[in-house]
Amino acid sequence: MNVRIYNYPMSKKQSVFIVLLLLAGIFQLFAQSGSSALVPDELRPVDEMLVRGEFDAALSMLLDIYAQPAHVYPEYEITWRIAQAYLFRGDNAMFQGQDEQTYIDDYDQAEIWVNRTLELAPDKHFGYFWNAALIGQRGMMNGPLNSLVSSGEMLDMLNEAARLDPERGYVYYLASFLYQLLPRVISFGDRDAAVCMARAGIYYQDRMFENGIITHRYQDYYLQLARSLWDRNWSLAKRQREQEDKREDLARTQDPFERAKLFEAIVEIPAMSDREEARMILQQVRSRLDYENRIYADYRDWLKLDELEDSM
């Protein structure tokens, strides 16, 4: 495979518990079962509502669909979306500065539906992934020590999700945050793995979008690559040396999660330093998001772009 990741298609350094506010959809994450499954027609409007930030309407529709006696698709396709919608609504409540109990209640509801998804489909990645996202959100809410303690469980959930379906971009996107922001001495932080995971996230998000598995291409995937590149801060020469080493390691690696940590072995990267590439990515993202009346997901990413540019 020869993927030109640096032709990004159209379409803080803070502690991990703060940055996890940006994760998992937190508006970047939509999925379907099977590597080529399309969004079911009845559920596509729900996915589009979440992109627009219409959380109450999405939840109302999902709960109405769930109450129906029969469905033409598996029940877990509904339950994981209900968990997602509660997580998104809780995240938005935090973003808007609403009362703490409001988002605590939403996260508690999300947990119920995550558990139901795991009961219905223990052989699918959905429950494991959304469990990881919920752990991240609660860690952000409860403080940095809680986040550090729970990060191992989060990583286990992401590993299992990747094992069950290795072509889900949001799994690697979320893992990139963990590797970037966790301490390297007392935890498993790894800036190089963060970069590779971010590249894998972009690659698989693009495939999912092109195959009709997701309804929107999220710009924070590119921002996360820029964040992780800025922190890794390799020269052009080091990038080229390390890419050759990764190719040798990749030939000996079979596990999909571990292969994603070597993703630079199978992509072409631009002939520049990490920080030069990071600045280029920010310029490209700004050009894609610079339009009037942005939808909710793009508005959130626009704010993240401003924050990231200020920090560089």
Side-chain angles (χ1 to χ4, degrees), residues 248-282:
E248 295 179 6
D249 293 340
L250 188 68
R252 301 188 295 269
T253 305
Q254 299 301 319
D255 179 79
F257 197 79
E258 293 301 312
R259 287 178 66 85
K261 290 163 68 174
L262 300 167
F263 207 76
E264 284 191 325
I266 56 176
V267 299
E268 292 186 38
I269 57 178
M272 58 183 66
S273 71
D274 279 354
R275 291 195 167 181
E276 287 171 337
E277 185 182 4
R279 293 188 184 97
M280 179 183 73
I281 292 169
L282 296 190

Side-chain angles (χ1 to χ4, degrees), residues 13-41:
K13 190 66 181 280
Q14 298 174 339
S15 61
V16 66
F17 73 101
I18 293 178
V19 178
L20 286 173
L21 177 61
L22 309 178
L23 297 180
I26 317 206
F27 313 108
Q28 317 306 321
L29 314 162
F30 295 86
Q32 291 298 317
S33 59
S35 60
S36 61
L38 299 177
V39 179
D41 289 342

Side-chain angles (χ1 to χ4, degrees), residues 115 217 250:
N115 290 337
R217 186 178 270 137
L250 188 68

Side-chain angles (χ1 to χ4, degrees), residues 51-277:
V51 173
R52 296 193 300 267
E54 299 167 5
F55 308 113
D56 291 340
L59 272 169
S60 178
M61 179 176 288
L62 283 168
L63 294 170
D64 285 347
I65 293 172
Y66 184 77
Q68 296 172 10
H71 312 286
V72 296
Y73 39 81
E75 185 178 337
Y76 65 78
E77 292 279 13
I78 308 171
T79 59
W80 75 255
R81 282 182 167 84
I82 296 174
Q84 173 190 249
Y86 275 117
L87 264 173
F88 284 12
R89 192 172 74 173
D91 169 78
N92 184 62
M94 296 183 69
F95 172 65
Q96 298 289 347
Q98 297 180 23
D99 180 74
E100 181 176 315
Q101 193 60 46
T102 301
Y103 45 86
I104 289 176
D105 291 345
D106 277 343
Y107 296 157
D108 289 345
Q109 285 295 315
E111 181 178 11
I112 292 171
W113 292 98
V114 164
N115 290 337
R116 179 58 177 156
T117 302
L118 286 167
E119 292 171 2
L120 290 168
D123 60 339
K124 303 293 183 183
H125 79 282
F126 302 109
Y128 303 97
F129 174 76
W130 289 106
N131 194 16
L134 179 60
I135 292 168
Q137 283 297 96
R138 283 177 162 162
M140 178 276 301
M141 180 179 66
N142 293 327
L145 181 60
N146 180 275
S147 297
L148 188 60
V149 170
S150 62
S151 60
E153 183 182 3
M154 232 181 125
L155 187 65
D156 289 343
M157 293 292 106
L158 293 173
N159 263 284
E160 184 65 11
R163 185 186 69 81
L164 291 169
D165 194 335
E167 297 188 358
R168 298 296 157 180
Y170 41 77
V171 173
Y172 308 117
Y173 164 82
L174 181 51
S176 176
F177 278 96
L178 280 178
Y179 282 114
Q180 178 203 355
L181 294 162
L182 284 173
R184 287 174 289 172
V185 177
I186 61 173
S187 189
F188 52 83
D190 185 332
R191 291 177 180 174
D192 182 38
V195 171
C196 289
M197 287 287 187
R199 293 194 193 278
I202 290 171
Y203 174 70
Y204 287 116
Q205 178 187 229
D206 288 347
R207 290 185 60 176
M208 292 170 70
F209 182 78
E210 290 160 4
N211 291 332
I213 299 170
I214 57 175
T215 61
H216 186 72
R217 186 178 270 137
Y218 296 89
Q219 296 305 306
D220 196 45
Y221 281 61
Y222 303 95
L223 297 181
Q224 175 52 21
L225 177 56
R227 294 182 192 102
S228 56
L229 284 166
W230 191 264
D231 284 348
R232 192 178 67 172
N233 194 22
W234 284 358
S235 67
L236 169 59
K238 185 171 178 61
R239 281 156 65 104
Q240 293 171 334
R241 289 195 306 270
E242 293 290 337
Q243 188 175 39
E244 290 302 317
D245 291 342
K246 289 185 176 80
R247 287 171 179 153
E248 295 179 6
D249 293 340
L250 188 68
R252 301 188 295 269
T253 305
Q254 299 301 319
D255 179 79
F257 197 79
E258 293 301 312
R259 287 178 66 85
K261 290 163 68 174
L262 300 167
F263 207 76
E264 284 191 325
I266 56 176
V267 299
E268 292 186 38
I269 57 178
M272 58 183 66
S273 71
D274 279 354
R275 291 195 167 181
E276 287 171 337
E277 185 182 4

